[in-house]
Amino acid sequence: MSKKGLIFNIQRFSLHDGPGIRTTIFFKGCPSSCLWCQNPEGLSSSKELFQSNAKCIGCHTCLENCPEGAISFDGPEPVNDRSICKLCMSCADNCPTGALEAIGKEMTIKEITNEVLKDRIIFEESGGGITLSGGEPLQQLDFVIDLLKAMKELNINTAVETSGYVSIEALKKVSTWTDLFLYDLKLLNPEKCKEYTGISSKPVIDNFKYLAQNGSQLVVRMPLIPGINDHHDHLRLMADTLKENGINELELIPYHNIGAHKYRGLNMDYQLQELEPPSKNQMAAVREAFLSEGISTTSEV
Ligand code: SF4
Ligand code: SF4
């Protein structure tokens, strides 16, 4: 049994991660690097230090508690020399305001189960359950399988949100314990997919076909990124791929940038700073384009 998973958030009362009211567990680590990612704290498979300067009161407690001498001040807020920082999290543990925060917590199955069971009655009344998300949860495959098994022993509904960029063997193992896959199809063209997400679309499409043709429950989701995957040829290719595999519904997730501030907190670059979310008219046009190809869409914000 895999003893601990690295988790960056457990979100109770989720309404958009599968049926009913759900608890969503976010796993750290992702093979993709989608330019539009709004959960950048899920990309790295290691713990990270997050810095919110707006919360900093300039008390220098972090400076005093850093055993590596990685923190200095040349203004009101700390500067972390990441080439020295050992991610021990002593600064975050001692920061009185939460301006420094450790992202990623190692958790056992029992610890996660205890969180999940707080909402068991809500799951039963709403038809909900748990959803594993990320990052890419299947990066932590052994732990995920153990967690899904534990949930099934408790008769709790399980959903897995995946990029599909995993081995077919991993997917087969996980599908035994998964009631529903929330499957992301972003860009089907292999070169474009590589350019904007860092991965090839081929295994993603192959795995989608496997799940669709082998009776797995699937909700296919497509983030709609203006100027990147909303052109007509791509919408038609997406519709054809869905129809060829017996799927006639698609969940559209309009691009947003409400997580852009997280890039600053993680000292990362956000390349789509200037990109605006799709307008109502753009969304309507895309929905109409899919409908004309025989695909109905829902839209989650
Ligand atoms: S301990 Fe926290 S609040 Fe104090 S200076 Fe450091 S980051 Fe700012
Ligand atoms: S995580 Fe540890 S090493 Fe890094 S800055 Fe904080 S206290 Fe120093």
Side-chain angles (χ1 to χ4, degrees), residues 41 55 137 151 197 221 226:
E41 70 274 47
K55 293 186 191 170
M151 292 299 119
T197 74
R221 315 220 280 194

Side-chain angles (χ1 to χ4, degrees), residues 65-283:
N65 282 278
C66 178
E68 306 296 331
I71 289 184
S72 61
F73 282 81
D74 59 4
E77 298 98 12
V79 177
N80 179 6
D81 184 341
R82 289 172 195 252
S83 67
I84 301 175
C85 173
K86 297 274 197 296
L87 294 174
C88 69
M89 302 304 171
S90 169
C91 55
D93 293 345
N94 288 286
C95 174
T97 65
L100 291 173
E101 192 186 344
I103 304 291
K105 183 179 177 193
E106 286 167 340
M107 297 185 77
T108 62
I109 302 281
K110 190 164 183 343
E111 286 169 330
I112 296 176
T113 303
N114 288 344
E115 274 302 297
V116 167
L117 286 179
K118 289 177 184 169
D119 297 321
R120 184 173 201 157
I121 292 172
I122 293 174
F123 299 158
E124 286 168 6
E125 290 187 354
S126 69
I130 65 154
T131 299
L132 310 190
S133 183
E136 169 53 68
L138 303 189
Q139 291 266 104
Q140 299 185 48
L141 184 66
D142 293 344
F143 184 82
V144 159
I145 289 173
D146 289 344
L147 180 60
L148 291 170
K149 279 184 193 170
M151 292 299 119
K152 294 320 295 176
E153 281 164 15
L154 292 165
N155 207 23
I156 289 174
N157 181 276
T158 57
V160 172
E161 183 180 13
T162 180
S163 65
Y165 193 75
V166 294
S167 72
I168 187 71
E169 292 77 20
L171 210 57
K172 283 179 184 173
K173 281 185 196 165
V174 166
S175 64
T176 309
W177 312 99
T178 302
D179 295 311
L180 172 71
F181 283 97
L182 304 172
Y183 200 96
D184 296 342
L185 284 180
K186 296 160 185 156
L187 267 166
L188 300 183
N189 175 287
E191 290 79 30
K192 290 283 175 207
C193 190
K194 186 89 180 159
E195 179 181 351
Y196 289 107
T197 74
I199 60 170
S200 163
S201 58
K202 183 168 186 324
V204 174
I205 297 168
D206 289 348
N207 287 340
F208 159 67
K209 288 179 179 172
Y210 171 81
L211 289 178
Q213 291 167 13
N214 285 278
S216 292
Q217 288 295 307
L218 268 182
V219 170
V220 182
R221 315 220 280 194
M222 175 182 158
L224 191 74
I225 319 295
I228 293 180
N229 68 354
D230 63 342
H231 51 91
H232 193 254
D233 287 352
H234 185 253
L235 301 184
R236 197 163 54 205
L237 180 60
M238 182 70 75
D240 288 345
T241 305
L242 294 175
K243 283 186 292 186
E244 282 162 17
N245 290 282
I247 305 278
N248 54 18
E249 285 181 14
L250 177 65
E251 195 174 291
L252 283 175
I253 304 177
Y255 166 76
H256 63 80
N257 53 14
I258 56 177
H261 70 284
K262 297 182 194 173
Y263 283 81
R264 281 191 299 280
L266 293 164
N267 199 24
M268 293 165 70
D269 214 20
Y270 184 50
Q271 296 183 44
L272 298 188
Q273 204 67 250
E274 307 300 325
L275 186 65
E276 293 290 328
S279 65
K280 279 187 182 168
N281 284 347
Q282 281 174 301
M283 287 299 294

